[in-house]
Amino acid sequence: MTQAPAAPRTSRRRHDREIITLAVPAFGALVAEPLFVMVDSAIVGHLGTPQLAGLGVAAALLMTAVSVFVFLAYATTAAVARRVGAGDLSAAIRQGMDGIWLALLLGVAVVAVTMPTAPWLVDIFGASDTAAPYAITYLRISSLGIPAMLIVMAATGVLRGLQNTRTPLYVAIGGFTANAALNAGLVYGLGLGIAGSAWGTVIAQCGMAAAYLVVVVRGARRHGASLRPDAVGIRASAQAGVPLLVRTLSLRAVLMIATAVAARMGDTDIAAHQIILALWSLMAFALDAIAIAGQAIIGRYLGADDAEGARDACRRMVQWGIVSGIVLGALIVIARPLFIPLFTADPAVQDTLLPALLVVALSQPVAGVVFVLDGVLMGAGDGRYLAGAMLVTLVVFAPVALLVPTLGGGLTALWWAMALMMTVRMATLWLRTRSGRWIVTGATR
């Protein structure tokens, strides 16, 4: 791709406008999501340590259960964008409805599993005897909101595919505001304790799902798209999502292995690791916003049979990813004296944190390319390759990371292993985009 001729200035400007228009609202919506848990933690934290500990365990379980279905957003975005590019908005919304129906079915299934197994799940996560009852209460109530959360994912994918990332931002802001108000009112106003926090989150999530459905239903009626469940379409959505599910589970395995290795090193290392992981996740939101723009833009170009436009957009987004990575890396280095004390005052943790954090800073340009190419291939519907590439990355990363405690190097060595993981991902994704095999035009792949 680096050997391809530079796009004309007008083409670059057009791509820049599209990327900014889609990526900036997407970033806002992505940042709003973890704020739900932060608000819950801030409110529940004043109830007591056992309640906060219980919330921590339940929230981790919920986020794990929901995050594995992120393919509902990714696969739907790509499929809808292709139909948009082909000029068939009715089919695009119909495709999106299939994803929403699939989300509802999966959500109901997850609730059916979570409700009876909540005590066992909480015990597996190692909750203490004092925290477990609160974790079970929060998990059981909050699980009722999982169907709404998955519908939100799928509907977000529909709107992204329709080249609309502003509505998800507005809904996310509204949901965050409602969640904060409901939590405060139910926990303290009505004295419902941690159960009130859970109910507040469920109500907010259901409200967000309802808002999305109103928008999608209006679009369906405007363009004459059917709202009824279609077994063939739902099955096709599920099949398209399976490779992305494999990719997501492989990535989750990488993060779990890294955390497990850090925990074996001792309390100081795991504390520093968690701080770095939180910062790494925050930077990932910024880079993922460009990837989301990539999904929508690439899908639209391919649907419109514009292979050259897809190549030019991919090339420009890679440039955006590199520059964004350099900027984020520089910010980490420059701002480290300001934010490190905010996380910890322990000198031992700070000393362990600093060299590993510099490794993260150096690897951000690589991460920028990885996120962009990931989004490009998702937008192209190249899920099978993404699944295989992530499995290869996991196979390379796992033995290297597991050897860190034996070979030495501490947390810094572990984050060098994480940098290796990102480099392997970049290599596999670059090879695919350079080959051009991802470019399959038409309303469907």
Side-chain angles (χ1 to χ4, degrees):
M1 292 183 58
T2 56
Q3 297 175 353
R9 183 174 298 179
T10 54
S11 177
R12 290 200 302 268
R13 287 177 178 174
R14 185 180 72 253
H15 291 316
D16 289 346
R17 284 195 298 269
E18 287 184 327
I19 293 168
I20 292 171
T21 300
L22 293 172
V24 172
F27 174 70
L30 288 169
V31 171
E33 293 175 8
L35 292 179
F36 271 77
V37 177
M38 290 179 64
V39 167
D40 289 0
S41 299
I43 293 175
V44 171
H46 291 286
L47 295 175
T49 300
Q51 289 90 332
L52 184 58
L55 171 65
V57 171
L61 284 164
L62 282 168
M63 293 307 295
T64 300
V66 172
S67 64
V68 297
F69 296 113
V70 72
F71 69 82
L72 289 168
Y74 293 159
T76 304
T77 297
V80 172
R82 276 183 176 270
R83 298 285 190 180
V84 170
D88 193 346
L89 290 179
S90 176
I93 296 174
R94 174 65 261 177
Q95 187 93 43
M97 285 304 305
D98 292 336
I100 290 173
W101 279 111
L102 175 62
L104 178 60
L105 293 174
L106 290 173
V108 171
V110 173
V111 173
V113 172
T114 304
M115 291 291 282
T117 61
W120 177 75
L121 292 171
V122 167
D123 183 62
I124 288 293
F125 262 62
S128 66
D129 291 339
T130 54
Y134 297 109
I136 294 169
T137 296
Y138 190 93
L139 180 59
R140 278 181 165 161
I141 296 173
S142 292
S143 68
L144 297 174
I146 289 177
M149 294 171 74
L150 298 188
I151 287 173
V152 166
M153 275 190 182
T156 299
V158 175
L159 295 183
R160 288 173 181 171
L162 293 171
Q163 317 296 296
N164 176 2
T165 56
R166 291 189 178 184
T167 298
L169 173 60
Y170 300 148
V171 174
I173 292 172
F176 167 73
T177 304
N179 181 61
L182 286 166
N183 270 260
L186 295 174
V187 172
Y188 297 117
L190 297 182
L192 296 181
I194 196 170
S197 177
W199 280 116
T201 300
V202 169
I203 295 169
Q205 292 287 355
C206 289
M208 291 174 66
Y212 273 117
L213 290 176
V214 167
V215 174
V216 174
V217 168
R218 284 178 178 173
R221 289 175 175 171
R222 187 182 307 119
H223 296 288
S226 173
L227 298 173
R228 295 179 180 179
D230 176 57
V232 175
I234 294 172
R235 191 182 305 114
S237 294
Q239 290 173 344
V242 169
L244 295 180
L245 175 61
V246 173
R247 167 202 168 274
T248 300
L249 290 175
S250 300
L251 182 56
R252 296 291 299 183
V254 165
L255 299 177
M256 289 175 65
I257 290 171
T259 300
V261 170
R264 290 175 59 189
M265 297 178 184
D267 291 346
T268 298
D269 289 274
I270 187 61
H273 176 75
Q274 287 303 110
I275 293 171
I276 295 175
L277 200 58
L279 291 168
W280 191 73
S281 299
L282 180 61
M283 290 180 291
F285 285 135
L287 298 175
D288 202 27
I290 304 175
I292 288 169
Q295 294 171 30
I297 293 170
I298 294 298
R300 192 189 75 236
Y301 274 117
L302 294 178
D305 294 325
D306 188 353
E308 191 56 38
R311 290 190 185 93
D312 287 344
C314 174
R315 187 179 301 111
R316 190 56 177 166
M317 280 183 284
V318 168
Q319 293 169 355
W320 270 77
I322 294 171
V323 172
S324 299
I326 292 172
V327 171
L328 289 172
L331 284 175
I332 293 172
V333 175
I334 295 170
R336 69 187 189 281
L338 300 175
F339 65 76
I340 289 179
L342 295 177
F343 286 97
T344 179
D346 187 334
V349 176
Q350 291 183 357
D351 290 343
T352 303
L353 173 68
L354 185 57
L357 195 61
L358 294 177
V359 175
V360 175
L362 289 172
S363 65
Q364 283 309 293
V366 174
V369 176
V370 168
F371 274 84
V372 166
L373 294 183
D374 211 37
V376 166
L377 295 185
M378 284 184 189
D382 204 7
R384 289 187 180 181
Y385 183 86
L386 287 171
M390 197 61 230
L391 284 172
V392 169
T393 302
L394 175 60
V395 169
V396 172
F397 170 78
V400 175
L402 293 173
L403 282 172
V404 167
T406 302
L407 299 178
L411 189 67
T412 303
L414 176 60
W415 276 93
W416 274 119
M418 290 288 285
L420 171 65
M421 179 271 295
M422 294 301 288
T423 303
V424 173
R425 287 187 71 189
M426 183 179 71
T428 57
L429 298 176
W430 179 79
L431 287 172
R432 184 63 167 181
T433 52
R434 188 173 183 272
S435 73
R437 294 177 183 174
W438 57 281
I439 300 177
V440 179
T441 58
T444 57
R445 183 176 173 86

